[in-house]
Amino acid sequence: MKKTQNIISMNKICKSFPLEIGGVQQVLFDINVDISAGEFVAIMGPSGSGKSTCMNIIGALDTPTSGVYELYGKNITNMTPDELAIIRNEYIRFVFQNFNLLSKRNVLDNVMLPLMYRGFVMNDRIRRA
């Protein structure tokens, strides 16, 4: 049987934030997770447990303090902000709780906007949206 490639592979992911009074606040401790194509995964826990921090790392909005994060087999752990912007544009989609649509645009325009940033011409944006 052929092994399915992991879409997301996180190995020993840690995240800490500096405190104003000195020291650091450790938020994530040695997170290990592999997610393959077709899997549905939920991140659950009490308030303050690091769910949002973990999602920000998965979404390439933040980087771990230590550990390795691979997306589609590519190590994105130490990418620059510009490289992470390309990763977000090409591989990651966000569904926000409050939709975050541009109010002066219709639904079609909102869906087509990221395609414009990816360089798609108008006819292709319309077809894909």
Side-chain angles (χ1 to χ4, degrees):
M1 177 175 247
K2 183 180 176 187
K3 184 179 186 294
T4 306
Q5 177 190 11
N6 291 325
I7 293 173
I8 292 172
S9 183
M10 300 173 82
N11 187 23
K12 295 188 173 286
I13 296 292
C14 296
K15 181 66 178 181
S16 59
F17 296 97
L19 297 173
E20 288 183 17
I21 59 172
V24 296
Q25 174 68 49
Q26 188 80 23
V27 179
L28 299 177
F29 307 88
D30 289 334
I31 301 295
N32 296 294
V33 64
D34 292 316
I35 302 172
S36 298
E39 286 188 293
F40 287 88
V41 177
I43 298 177
M44 299 170 39
S47 179
S49 64
K51 299 179 302 293
S52 293
T53 300
C54 188
M55 289 299 297
N56 285 340
I57 292 172
I58 291 171
L61 296 169
D62 199 356
T63 56
T65 305
S66 63
V68 176
Y69 173 24
E70 292 181 352
L71 182 66
Y72 291 98
K74 184 174 189 170
N75 185 343
I76 69 166
T77 309
N78 297 312
M79 287 187 169
T80 67
D82 286 345
E83 291 170 325
L84 290 174
I86 292 168
I87 292 293
R88 285 191 302 275
N89 183 275
E90 293 181 359
Y91 297 102
I92 297 174
R93 303 296 175 258
F94 295 97
V95 179
F96 296 97
Q97 288 178 320
N98 59 354
F99 303 110
N100 285 358
L101 298 176
L102 300 175
S103 60
K104 297 193 187 296
R105 302 278 184 178
N106 63 33
V107 173
L108 181 63
D109 288 341
N110 271 279
V111 172
M112 289 190 319
L113 186 60
L115 298 172
M116 179 186 74
Y117 291 119
R118 290 185 64 188
F120 285 85
V121 296
M122 180 61 83
N123 287 343
D124 289 339
R125 291 195 306 253
I126 291 169
R127 182 182 52 76
R128 291 178 65 116

